């Protein structure tokens, strides 16, 4: 459904809108006895394009947001659970910037889809109108075409967007820069409309159509001022940060659940993702976008009492894990320990066969490991070190640590 109502639907809606406008202008330039019914048909075509574009935009934006979140979650999972685990401290800046896809004062990747869709729709409509003017007189399309090209250059002109400028201050600064651009585009819109308006004075037989073209050109050309490509530039910066995190995660030789060769390295300090909801904090991107935790990880849900935890939260599994975000709640230490244990259980249930611990596990994790060891014979190794577990420093092999089953 997303493939149908995503970008193809947005482009199809823009084509229908442009065709409706251009056909209406040509009908008014060369009126016939049935021009009224033909104009009604053009209006219906335009409205159909608007409805199609609106219906296609939301699924495309949601798909882009979801894809960015899954990439970030999987990168965090690899950082946390892969052999050679490294402290994410040096990557904290990149992680925060990449997590900006969920911070409410920064645009999500889906906002870039809306901006690009508006730009595509406007350009296709302007192109259709210029083509209609070229049918009447090729010279009439030159002026509006140049004005449209200059306006487009003002909108998409390259601007430096440093990685440090992804916060609220950077967003506001770039928003202020667009004010002068709006004035210049307004002047260009007036110039584009002036050409067919002057031509209408010389051609009374086509005056209605040419005046209509002038009004539509001014309307759609000035509409470029509403195309804010700041969201697109923010998305590019976020992608650069995300690639930096993914490179650091070194996703080589992945095995079940995103771990290397089926090995889970439990970090000494598990990540607490405040922008993610309960379900995402448990599986960290190990599940697909449409997978349910309850259906794919039934034993983990029962073992860690996750269903009871979800029922205690205001939005269930979709409750965001930080009060910083709308609808989110702050979780206590006990809940975070249970989530950390559930992450390990989820990866084991998805197929991992070996667990490497940084030291003696807490009671939640110990109970989880004891259950899986008795059920499936999962191999547990323990390594004590100042920075967490490393495969080279194994202290105890082949069993859950003493007291873990209690």
């Amino acid at each position: 459904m997303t493939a149908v109502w995503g970008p193809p639907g947005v482009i199809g809606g823009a084509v229908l809108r442009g065709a409706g406008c251009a056909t209406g202008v040509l009908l008014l330039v060369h009126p016939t006895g049935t021009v009224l019914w033909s104009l009604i048909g053009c209006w219906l075509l335009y409205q159909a394009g608007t409805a199609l574009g609106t219906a296609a935009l939301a699924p495309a934006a949601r798909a882009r947001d979801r894809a960015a979140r899954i990439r970030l979650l999987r990168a965090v999972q690899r950082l946390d659970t892969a052999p050679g685990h490294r402290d994410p401290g040096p990557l904290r800046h990149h992680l925060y910037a990449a997590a900006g896809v969920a911070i409410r004062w920064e645009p999500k990747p889906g906002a870039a889809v809306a901006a690009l869709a508006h730009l595509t729709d406007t350009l296709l409509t302007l192109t259709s109108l210029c083509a209609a003017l070229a049918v009447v007189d090729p010279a009439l399309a030159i002026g509006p075409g140049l004005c449209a090209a200059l306006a487009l250059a003002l909108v998409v002109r390259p601007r430096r967007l440093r990685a440090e400028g992804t916060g609220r201050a950077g967003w506001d600064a770039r928003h202020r820069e667009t004010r002068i651009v709006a004035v210049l585009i307004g002047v260009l819109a007036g110039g584009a409309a002036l050409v067919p308006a002057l031509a209408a004075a010389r051609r009374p037989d086509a005056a209605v159509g040419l005046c209509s073209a002038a009004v539509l050109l001014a309307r759609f050309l000035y509409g470029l001022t509403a195309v804010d490509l700041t969201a697109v530039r923010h998305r590019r910066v976020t992608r650069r940060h995300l690639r930096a995190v993914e490179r650091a995660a070194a996703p080589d030789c992945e095995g079940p659940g995103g771990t290397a060769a089926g090995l889970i390295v439990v970090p000494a300090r598990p990540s607490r993702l405040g922008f993610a909801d309960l379900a995402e904090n448990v599986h960290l991107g190990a599940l697909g976008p449409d997978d349910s935790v309850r259906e794919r990880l039934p034993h983990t849900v029962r073992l860690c009492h996750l269903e009871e935890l979800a029922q205690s939260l205001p939005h269930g599994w979709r409750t965001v894990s930080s009060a910083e975000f709308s609808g989110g709640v702050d979780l206590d230490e006990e809940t975070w320990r249970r989530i950390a244990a559930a992450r390990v259980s989820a990866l084991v249930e998805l197929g991992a066969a070996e667990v490497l611990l940084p030291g003696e596990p807490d009671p939640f994790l110990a109970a989880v490991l004891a259950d899986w060891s008795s059920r499936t014979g999962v191999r547990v190794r323990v390594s004590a070190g100042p920075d967490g577990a490393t495969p080279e420093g194994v202290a105890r092999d082949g069993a859950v640590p003493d007291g873990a089953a209690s």
Side-chain angles (χ1 to χ4, degrees):
M1 183 61 69
T2 301
V4 176
W5 295 106
V10 173
I11 296 175
V15 170
L16 291 178
R17 284 162 58 96
C21 291
T23 305
V25 168
L26 290 176
L27 288 172
L28 290 173
V29 170
H30 303 289
T32 62
T34 59
V35 65
L36 177 60
W37 295 106
S38 301
L39 288 176
I40 292 175
C42 293
W43 180 81
L44 292 176
L45 187 65
Y46 181 88
Q47 294 301 320
T50 301
L52 179 60
T54 303
L57 186 59
R62 285 197 300 268
R64 187 66 58 85
D65 291 340
R66 186 167 54 185
R69 290 173 71 86
I70 290 175
R71 285 183 61 187
L72 178 60
L73 289 168
R74 289 178 177 170
V76 172
Q77 179 195 19
R78 288 193 294 264
L79 282 172
D80 272 359
T81 62
H85 165 72
R86 55 183 293 183
D87 182 7
L91 294 170
R92 195 170 306 280
H93 171 64
H94 293 296
L95 283 170
Y96 176 83
V101 299
I103 296 177
R104 56 182 179 270
W105 58 78
E106 292 198 24
K108 296 183 181 181
V113 175
L116 292 175
H118 190 176
L119 181 64
T120 301
D121 178 78
T122 303
L123 289 180
L124 286 177
T125 304
L126 289 172
T127 302
S128 300
L129 290 172
C130 289
L133 290 175
V135 171
V136 179
D137 185 351
L140 293 178
I142 297 176
L146 290 176
C147 291
L150 290 174
L152 177 63
L154 287 173
V155 172
V156 301
R157 72 191 190 284
R159 286 178 287 182
R160 294 187 60 188
L161 180 61
R162 298 181 299 172
E164 298 80 15
T166 55
R168 184 193 294 270
W171 171 267
D172 290 341
R174 280 179 294 278
H175 189 68
R176 288 192 295 269
E177 292 175 4
T178 62
R179 295 176 181 174
I180 188 171
V181 174
V183 174
L184 294 176
I185 291 178
V187 173
L188 291 172
L194 187 62
V195 175
L198 293 177
R202 299 193 304 268
R203 296 193 49 180
D205 58 320
V208 177
L210 292 174
C211 289
S212 299
V215 173
L216 291 174
L217 281 171
R219 188 260 191 208
F220 286 104
L221 192 56
Y222 189 73
L224 286 173
T225 59
V227 180
D228 188 358
L229 295 185
T230 306
V232 180
R233 298 183 179 99
H234 270 264
R235 174 176 172 268
R236 292 173 182 169
V237 172
T238 299
R239 289 177 64 185
R240 288 201 296 269
H241 286 291
L242 187 54
R243 284 195 293 267
V245 176
E246 289 176 329
R247 285 195 299 268
D252 301 325
C253 305
E254 290 188 4
T259 60
L263 172 65
I264 304 172
V265 180
V266 180
R269 295 176 294 277
S271 299
R272 299 181 178 185
L273 304 182
F275 71 90
D277 58 36
L278 173 61
E280 292 170 334
N281 263 297
V282 169
H283 66 74
L284 285 184
L287 301 183
D290 299 320
D291 289 336
S292 168
V293 175
R294 286 171 288 188
E295 295 175 359
R296 289 292 308 278
L297 304 171
H299 187 70
T300 295
V301 172
R302 291 192 300 269
L303 179 63
C304 301
H305 305 286
L306 294 179
E307 193 62 48
E308 292 84 348
L309 174 59
Q311 292 176 358
S312 67
L313 298 176
H315 303 289
W317 289 95
R318 294 306 175 191
T319 302
V320 179
S321 305
S322 172
E324 178 185 3
F325 306 102
S326 177
V329 296
D330 290 325
L331 305 179
D332 55 29
E333 288 294 326
E334 180 178 336
T335 302
W336 279 116
R337 288 197 298 270
R338 190 191 304 183
I339 291 174
R343 288 177 185 171
V344 177
S345 177
L347 294 176
V348 172
E349 189 167 2
L350 289 171
E354 189 173 4
V355 178
L356 184 61
L357 298 172
E360 296 296 326
D362 61 62
F364 291 104
L365 182 56
V368 167
L369 294 176
D371 181 88
W372 281 111
S373 296
S374 62
R375 286 169 51 86
T376 63
V378 172
R379 187 183 182 204
V380 179
R381 295 189 291 163
V382 180
S383 170
D387 297 322
T390 57
E392 295 77 15
V394 176
R396 189 177 301 140
D397 193 351
V400 179
D402 294 340
S406 59

